[in-house]
Amino acid sequence: MTPTTETTVGIGGAAESTDMVLNIGPQHPSTHGVLRLRLVLDGERIRRAEPVIGYMHRGAEKLFEARDYRQIVMLANRHDWLSAFSNELGVVIAVERMLGMEVPARAVWTRTLLAELNRVLNHLMFLGSYPLELGGITPVFYAFREREVLQNVMEEVSGGRMHYMFNRVGGLKEDLPAGWASRARGAVSAVRSRMDVFDDLVLGNEIFRGRTRGVGILTPAAVHAYGVSGPIARASGVDFDLRRDEPYLAYGELQDTLKVVSRSEGDCLARFECLLEQTHNALDLADACLDRLADLPPGPINQRLPKVLKAPEGHTYAWTENPLGINGYYLVSKGEKTPYRLKLRSASYNNIQALTELLPGTLVADMVAILGSMFFVVGDIDK
C-alpha cells in the first residue's frame, strides 16, 4: 500500500471579504491637476475615501509676506488657473478696504464685466471636460471653441491669455482699448448663440443622464459641515451667492439680471445643470455691464497711488463669489509695504474634502462621475 501525505493549507480568516486599498493618482486624467485619492474597497464598492493633497503646494501664502501689495496680485491669480481675474479681485478688494479707498465707477463696472467673462471661461472648461471623463469626447471641442472666442477679447484687454494681471489696487491697469466693447459684445453674442450644444448634446444625452442622475448625492448637512460653496452647494439646495446676499463691485445694481441657480437633488446631474445655467446667466450679466459702461461718462479707470504703498495697521476680511465657490482673503497689516499675513480661503479646498463623505458606499465605476462633478482645480486646493 502506497503511503499518502496529507497537507493542510491555511487561508486565513479574511478570505471571504478582504479590503483592498486602491490609489487613484496622483497622475489621473479626471482630476484637473495632481490629486491622489486613497480608496478602501470592498469588492466594487468604496468603503473609505481619503483625498491626499499637497502635490502642487507652492507656499503662496508665505510668499505673500515677502512681496509688496502690487506684487502679490501676480501670486494670487495663479492658484485657480481657470479663474485668474477673479482671484486677483479678492486681494485688491481687501487692500482697498484696508486703505479706505474708493474705486472709480468705470473700474467697478469693468471689473464686474471681466469677472463674469472669466466665470464663463471657467465654466466652459468643466462643461466640456466633465462629459469627456464619462466617455463623451465631442463637447470638449465645442467648449474650447467658445473659450477661444472669449479668451481673444480677454487677451486684447489685458495682454494675458490665462494670467491676466489686469487688476491694480485702486482700479485696473488701463482703460479699455478703442472698439473693444463692441468686440466683447460680439463675442458674448456668439457664445450665447451656440450654448445649445451643451443644453441638447450633453443634457439631452440619455447615457450622460443615466451616469449622473441619482449618483453622488451631497446632502445640505454635508455642504454646511465641510464649507462647500458655489454651484456644488447650490445644487444641493443651499441657496447662497455672495453676489446677491452680500453684493460687492456692481452686483448690487444687477439684481434684476442676476439669477442664482439652485437645485434640490444634490446629485452629479444637478451640479452640471447648475453650472450650465450659471454660464447662461453670466453671459446676461456681461451684456448688462457692457450696457452700463456705454452709458458712463469718460473718467479714470484707477486711482493714483504713492510710489511706496503701505496699508495701515489692522486687519480685514474680503470674500468673493468666485466661479468655483467662495474665496476669502484675511489680510493682517503691521503698517508696512508687505502684508504681515494674508490667509487665503479657496473654494476647491473645502469642496474636495466632501469626497470623504460623498464616495463611501458608491461603486468604483461611479467614482470618476462623482469626482468630475465636484468642479475643482488642484492648484486651488494646494495653493
Side-chain angles (χ1 to χ4, degrees), residues 171-186:
L172 294 167
K173 175 186 173 186
E174 56 198 10
D175 209 341
L176 303 175
W180 182 87
S182 62
R183 290 189 289 277
R185 195 182 295 276

Side-chain angles (χ1 to χ4, degrees), residues 113-114 117 121 146-161 164 176-177 179-188 191:
L113 164 63
L114 297 177
L117 291 178
L121 281 169
E146 309 314 329
R147 276 176 56 83
E148 284 298 313
V149 172
L150 291 176
Q151 277 187 306
N152 286 340
V153 295
M154 292 292 283
E155 183 178 10
E156 181 187 356
V157 75
S158 68
R161 281 181 61 80
Y164 305 109
L176 303 175
W180 182 87
S182 62
R183 290 189 289 277
R185 195 182 295 276
V188 169
V191 172

Side-chain angles (χ1 to χ4, degrees), residues 109 112-113 116 243 248-259 281 284-289 292:
W109 281 97
T112 311
L113 164 63
E116 290 306 311
R243 297 174 298 169
Y248 58 100
L249 294 181
Y251 290 114
E253 299 180 48
L254 291 169
Q255 297 300 305
D256 292 339
T257 307
L258 176 64
K259 177 185 177 186
N281 186 240
D284 294 338
L285 288 168
D287 268 340
C289 290
R292 182 59 187 268

Side-chain angles (χ1 to χ4, degrees), residues 170-249:
L172 294 167
K173 175 186 173 186
E174 56 198 10
D175 209 341
L176 303 175
W180 182 87
S182 62
R183 290 189 289 277
R185 195 182 295 276
V188 169
S189 177
V191 172
R192 181 188 287 110
S193 69
R194 296 192 289 256
M195 285 299 292
D196 60 337
V197 166
F198 303 99
D199 294 320
D200 302 332
L201 183 65
V202 181
L203 277 183
N205 186 292
E206 60 182 82
I207 298 175
F208 178 82
R209 299 183 75 87
R211 288 291 308 276
T212 55
R213 186 192 288 115
V215 174
I217 296 175
L218 185 65
T219 64
V223 168
H224 291 299
Y226 287 92
V228 175
S229 59
I232 302 172
R234 291 191 285 273
S236 296
V238 180
D239 188 10
F240 181 70
D241 190 313
L242 285 174
R243 297 174 298 169
R244 178 197 64 194
D245 302 320
E246 194 173 313
Y248 58 100
L249 294 181

Side-chain angles (χ1 to χ4, degrees), residues 241 251 290 332 366 378:
D241 190 313
Y251 290 114
L290 285 166
V332 181
D366 290 330
V378 176

Side-chain angles (χ1 to χ4, degrees), residues 326-365:
I326 293 174
N327 269 28
Y329 303 83
Y330 179 57
L331 173 62
V332 181
S333 171
K334 293 291 187 181
E336 302 296 330
K337 65 179 182 179
T338 62
Y340 176 75
R341 185 78 173 93
L342 179 53
K343 169 65 180 173
L344 170 61
R345 186 263 191 218
S346 62
S348 296
Y349 181 85
N350 288 70
N351 292 354
I352 205 65
Q353 303 308 316
L355 288 172
T356 58
E357 186 159 326
L358 197 54
L359 287 176
T362 63
L363 295 171
V364 177

